[in-house]
Amino acid sequence: MRVFAGVEAMRGVAALSVVCGHAVSARPDMVGPGVAEGVLTLLASGVDIFFVISGFIIATTAAAHRDALSFIFRRAVRIYPVYWLVLLAAFASSSWIDLSPEKRPPLDLGLIFAWTYPNWYLGPAWSIAFELHFYAAVAAILAIAPNRLFELLFAGLGMVVIALVFRLQLGIYSHPLVLEFGAGAGIAYLHRNGRLLFSRHALATSAGLFAVGWYWIFVSGSADPQFARVPTYGLAAGLLIHAVVSAEIEGRSFSPILQWFGKISYSLYIVHYLVIKWMINFTEVWLLSTAATIVAGILLSIGLAWVLHIIIEAPLIRWGRGWSTDQQTSDAQRREGAVHIPARVD
């Protein structure tokens, strides 16, 4: 499958956005409660960008390969090794530092497999639960009707809308943020059918919607912030990824630095929360100013994410792709080598 440099760059932007938001807001007593909440409210929109990107990449990948078992295996290899390692470190750390204001829950299977939210041990990992539920839906479609991927995906998203309108309780599948995966799948559908056209107005509209979302949620105080994210941050993220993908199709290039951040974005997203918690719980050890503590937390998170990516993430991704390719080749060879014996005619 083609690797979209622009999408990789936007992954880097999304990861840096979330990391900076958590670094600034980690100690409201140091920067002020208003600043902490305002910054995090805006920069948390990086998650909305991640969801749209995931919808685009997963739909594009699934449409190209159409093998449910291979899809599940590659997603598990991509998600769990780094998550489990950092979760183990967070679990051990929770004996002497507070990772969340609420009482520490037991480390049950829902948290071990990142299937439930919120995640007490790794706060940002709540979004992984949404990712996994989306993967499960795609895998089910691939197992049942791989040639109807987009039709069934859009039908499922229609069910989400119905659940929202009639307030049906379907767990994560009735959460408004699920619709952001649909925006990414819609972009994948347009790209697959050659209908993705670049528009200069998309980026300006996207920036405006991010600003509107921040004002609606933070300044006005939306009664339902999660719902408010979808028509603002979610739509803005959709327009952003639409513009980026269509621009790349037309030959535009993107920053190699942002692409590098995109490559380590998953490790950065998973590990930064624990690093920042360590930084703010031991400020007397570092003897740093507020600004220096924020910068140090960001830089240490990036450094550790880079190490995790090189040692764990990248080798496992290559292995998973190789295994998947070998399985597809083996299946194709078995199909081609099958001997069809005609029925006996007396």
Side-chain angles (χ1 to χ4, degrees):
M1 190 192 85
R2 173 181 176 179
V3 176
F4 286 89
V7 173
E8 196 86 306
M10 291 306 101
R11 271 180 174 161
V13 170
L16 288 172
S17 174
V18 174
V19 171
C20 291
H22 284 142
V24 172
S25 65
R27 285 288 298 269
D29 57 315
M30 295 172 68
V31 299
V35 172
E37 185 181 356
V39 169
L40 184 59
T41 299
L42 178 60
L43 297 185
S45 61
V47 175
D48 303 87
I49 297 174
F50 272 131
F51 283 174
V52 174
I53 288 175
S54 184
F56 171 73
I57 293 295
I58 296 305
T60 301
T61 303
H65 296 289
R66 301 184 180 184
D67 181 77
L69 289 178
S70 175
F71 173 81
I72 293 170
F73 177 78
R74 288 176 63 171
R75 289 296 95 199
V77 169
R78 182 77 173 87
I79 293 291
Y80 284 121
V82 171
Y83 172 74
W84 281 335
L85 180 62
V86 180
L87 179 65
L88 179 61
F91 178 73
S93 302
S94 66
S95 299
W96 58 86
I97 64 173
D98 290 327
L99 297 174
S100 180
E102 294 80 19
K103 182 180 178 181
R104 181 176 68 172
L107 191 59
D108 57 18
L109 288 177
L111 289 172
I112 291 174
F113 288 98
W115 187 252
T116 56
Y117 80 104
N119 193 310
W120 189 92
Y121 294 93
L122 293 173
W126 67 267
S127 65
I128 298 180
F130 282 76
E131 295 270 358
L132 291 173
H133 279 74
F134 178 61
Y135 299 164
V138 172
I141 293 172
L142 291 177
I144 298 168
N147 294 327
R148 294 288 182 267
L149 173 67
F150 286 104
E151 293 92 327
L152 293 178
L153 265 181
F154 295 144
L157 290 164
M159 291 298 296
V160 173
V161 173
I162 293 172
L164 289 170
V165 171
F166 293 100
R167 300 184 182 278
L168 304 178
Q169 298 302 313
L170 302 176
I172 285 178
Y173 291 113
S174 58
H175 197 288
L177 289 179
V178 173
L179 296 175
E180 296 182 347
F181 293 97
I187 297 168
Y189 177 80
L190 292 175
H191 173 252
R192 185 174 177 82
N193 290 278
R195 300 177 184 175
L196 208 59
L197 302 176
F198 179 73
S199 170
R200 296 183 181 276
H201 302 294
L203 289 177
T205 306
S206 175
L209 285 170
F210 278 121
V212 169
W214 177 81
Y215 184 87
W216 185 6
I217 297 169
F218 176 66
V219 179
S220 296
S222 171
D224 189 351
Q226 297 301 330
F227 175 81
R229 291 176 73 153
V230 176
T232 55
Y233 291 166
L235 184 54
L239 289 172
L240 174 64
I241 301 307
H242 181 287
V244 165
V245 175
S246 57
E248 185 167 349
I249 291 172
E250 293 187 0
R252 291 173 173 82
S253 58
F254 297 86
S255 166
I257 295 175
L258 288 179
Q259 290 180 55
W260 180 81
F261 276 111
K263 292 183 186 301
I264 69 166
S265 60
Y266 178 66
S267 291
L268 180 57
Y269 185 79
I270 292 300
V271 80
H272 81 274
Y273 186 76
L274 184 59
V275 171
I276 290 170
K277 284 294 182 181
W278 269 89
M279 290 290 299
I280 65 170
N281 274 276
F282 298 101
T283 51
E284 68 279 0
V285 176
W286 320 118
L287 299 176
L288 299 173
S289 66
T290 299
T293 301
I294 293 171
V295 172
I298 294 170
L299 293 179
L300 283 174
S301 298
I302 292 171
L304 185 54
W306 180 49
V307 172
L308 288 174
H309 176 76
I310 291 175
I311 295 177
I312 299 175
E313 192 179 2
L316 284 174
I317 289 173
R318 287 194 296 269
W319 174 70
R321 287 173 178 168
W323 182 89
S324 177
T325 301
D326 290 344
Q327 288 295 110
Q328 291 173 6
T329 302
S330 177
D331 291 343
Q333 289 173 343
R334 282 198 297 270
R335 287 193 296 269
E336 291 174 2
V339 178
H340 299 285
I341 301 176
R344 179 179 175 181
V345 179
D346 293 327

